Amino acid sequence: MTELKNDRFLRALLREPVDVTPVWMMRQAGRYLPEYRASRERAGDFMGLCGNPDMACEVTLQPLERYPLDAAILFSDILTIPDAMGLGLYFEAGEGPKFRKPVRTEADIRALKVTDPNTDLSYVVDAVKTIRRELNGRVPLIGFSGSPWTLATYMIEGGSSRDFRRAKQMLYNQPELMHQLLDVLARSVIAYLNAQIRAGAQAVQIFDTWGGALSHSAYQEFSLRYLQQIAHGLLREHEGRRVPLILFTKGGGQWLELMADTGAEALGLDWTTDIGQARARVGTRVALQGNMDPTILYAKPERIRAEVGAILNAYGQGSGHVFNLGHGITPEVDPEHAGAFIRAVHDLSSQYHE
Ligand code: CP3
């Protein structure tokens, strides 16, 4: 195995000393980059990019050619698992993801099987291997999956939703059926992430994008419990190194202590939480990732730099912070502003490290 030339991302996740605060951006390979839009055009569509390991590798590396990022993230989507379960994922221009066959009935759910990553999702496993080879130790590669609850919302609603009416109906009217769905998903996520780790992913992140739509008690019963199951089922060491797990529940700022109890190495924060207060609450149990409001990237570079400075100052001295946006970068952002953001993190953070 090639030696890692820049491991400050992995070190920060394990709260080990670093020279400067590492930084990457959720959705860093995406539509704000003209070179991404050109690759997508060549592939035909978004799923054409995800399904072709060479093209997935190409777009994964694009933001790293432009910016001094400290990690690469596999280019794929969280909805590959439901697609592999036979739901028929497709994207309609401007409308986001859709499923041809959403799960709505007890029979639909009882018929679902745990996905085998090495057959149904082999294109993702191959993409991870290709990206690792092409990265050649430049920076670590992050693998990822959606959380069972977040995947369940898309599977039941048949796409994006504002109020999760059908999913909540099932959760409250047929909790046992919902648990059956979440359990099949949790076992699929474990197999999927372990396959990504074996193929070369050096850290993994779970996107619980819609966990924050749940009530305090429903979050624990229907999302957190499955994040815990996954944390216990994952390979935690590979190639002689710890493989850190990052949990990101958007809107989950009030549950950080509970999330830290799962055994994950790090928690992702959205921008509604003060990172200094979050650090005081979780102590040395976990590292923190985040958490600049992605819309600040619409502001001028001086304002972006000031915000980066304020977040670094709020986190304070020492390791355990991976800088990121509080959610994905949006398609309308000027790539120059993304560059100003990344440079500011490295420039302004050395004073917080010995
Ligand atoms: O971070 C990265 O760079 C890795 C790639 C990545 C994508 N999707 C690429 C993508 C990751 C980690 C995801 C995760 C994902 N996908 C989530 C969880 C993350 C989050 O944002 O909270 C969710 C909810 C999805 C489902 C999904 N995929 C949606 C809602 C959409 C449509 C978004 C839109 O604005 O139209 C996608 C499509 C998608 N996934 C795109 C990209 C780059 C855009 C597709 C395109 O090129 O047209």
Side-chain angles (χ1 to χ4, degrees):
M1 277 294 158
T2 342
E3 213 189 314
L4 257 180
K5 297 174 190 92
N6 169 357
D7 67 351
R8 58 168 83 97
F9 167 71
L10 296 178
R11 295 180 62 83
L13 289 174
L14 299 175
R15 291 172 294 103
E16 295 168 2
V18 288
D19 53 346
V20 293
T21 302
V23 56
W24 68 281
M25 298 185 293
M26 290 191 272
R27 292 270 175 103
Q28 64 191 20
R31 286 166 292 181
Y32 73 104
L33 291 176
E35 57 271 33
Y36 169 83
R37 297 195 297 268
S39 301
R40 192 184 59 177
E41 187 86 8
R42 257 195 300 127
D45 60 13
F46 170 69
M47 284 311 284
L49 276 182
C50 295
N52 178 325
D54 290 325
M55 294 221 67
C57 176
E58 174 182 311
V59 294
T60 299
L61 299 181
Q62 285 170 348
L64 289 118
E65 302 298 336
R66 266 191 192 252
Y67 312 117
L69 290 158
D70 295 300
I73 179 162
L74 161 70
F75 189 83
S76 188
D77 198 80
I78 63 166
L79 301 177
T80 50
I81 286 181
D83 186 50
M85 288 177 165
L87 273 67
L89 174 65
Y90 67 101
F91 284 83
E92 227 150 71
E95 284 199 51
K98 291 229 159 54
F99 287 114
R100 287 196 180 80
K101 289 184 280 181
V103 296
R104 293 277 161 79
T105 65
E106 181 158 351
D108 290 341
I109 290 177
R110 306 258 183 243
L112 295 173
K113 294 202 173 54
V114 174
T115 51
D116 176 353
N118 294 309
T119 56
D120 309 332
L121 293 162
S122 57
Y123 65 95
V124 180
V125 176
D126 290 342
V128 172
K129 288 181 190 158
T130 306
I131 299 163
R132 257 310 283 280
R133 192 185 66 226
E134 294 302 313
L135 274 172
N136 196 26
R138 194 151 32 138
V139 291
L141 175 61
I142 307 167
F144 71 89
S145 168
S147 74
W149 162 249
T150 293
L151 295 177
T153 66
Y154 286 97
M155 292 170 75
I156 297 166
E157 303 289 340
S160 303
S161 169
R162 244 178 333 119
D163 55 5
F164 308 104
R165 183 167 51 87
R166 289 190 168 93
K168 294 267 184 101
Q169 229 162 20
M170 187 184 293
L171 183 156
Y172 288 114
N173 285 339
Q174 298 166 284
E176 176 275 327
L177 189 62
M178 180 59 94
H179 279 303
Q180 168 146 2
L181 172 57
L182 295 169
D183 180 66
V184 174
L185 286 168
R187 287 186 283 142
S188 299
V189 168
I190 291 168
Y192 186 49
L193 289 178
N194 281 341
Q196 291 183 33
I197 292 167
R198 287 195 182 92
Q202 291 147 298
V204 291
Q205 172 156 326
I206 299 181
F207 288 88
D208 186 25
T209 307
W210 302 121
L214 292 167
S215 74
H216 184 72
S217 68
Y219 175 72
Q220 294 174 62
E221 183 178 347
F222 296 95
S223 189
L224 185 70
R225 169 169 156 187
Y226 295 94
L227 299 178
Q228 179 119 49
Q229 184 178 330
I230 293 164
H232 288 157
L234 289 185
L235 275 170
R236 301 310 281 278
E237 221 169 277
H238 192 66
E239 302 173 44
R241 232 180 142 136
R242 187 87 181 159
V243 181
L245 167 65
I246 308 163
L247 297 181
F248 172 59
T249 291
K250 184 162 171 281
Q254 65 276 44
W255 301 312
L256 299 178
E257 293 86 347
L258 298 170
M259 294 171 75
D261 284 339
T262 58
E265 276 75 12
L267 307 181
L269 303 177
D270 68 31
W271 62 93
T272 61
T273 302
D274 178 89
I275 197 168
Q277 289 174 13
R279 185 182 189 184
R281 284 164 55 199
V282 300
T284 57
R285 288 191 290 162
V286 286
L288 295 173
Q289 177 175 278
N291 67 338
M292 192 177 88
D293 180 350
T295 64
I296 291 173
L297 295 178
Y298 299 137
K300 35 186 198 205
E302 308 89 87
R303 185 65 189 83
I304 295 169
R305 197 175 169 89
E307 191 70 19
V308 166
I311 292 170
L312 288 169
N313 182 58
Y315 184 83
Q317 210 63 34
S319 188
H321 181 201
V322 171
F323 218 112
N324 205 316
L325 303 173
H327 200 205
I329 186 169
T330 50
E332 299 78 14
V333 167
D334 179 343
E336 296 288 330
H337 289 207
F341 163 67
I342 291 154
R343 278 194 306 277
V345 175
H346 287 161
D347 288 355
L348 301 176
S349 63
S350 64
Q351 59 180 304
Y352 296 101
H353 304 282
E354 299 281 313

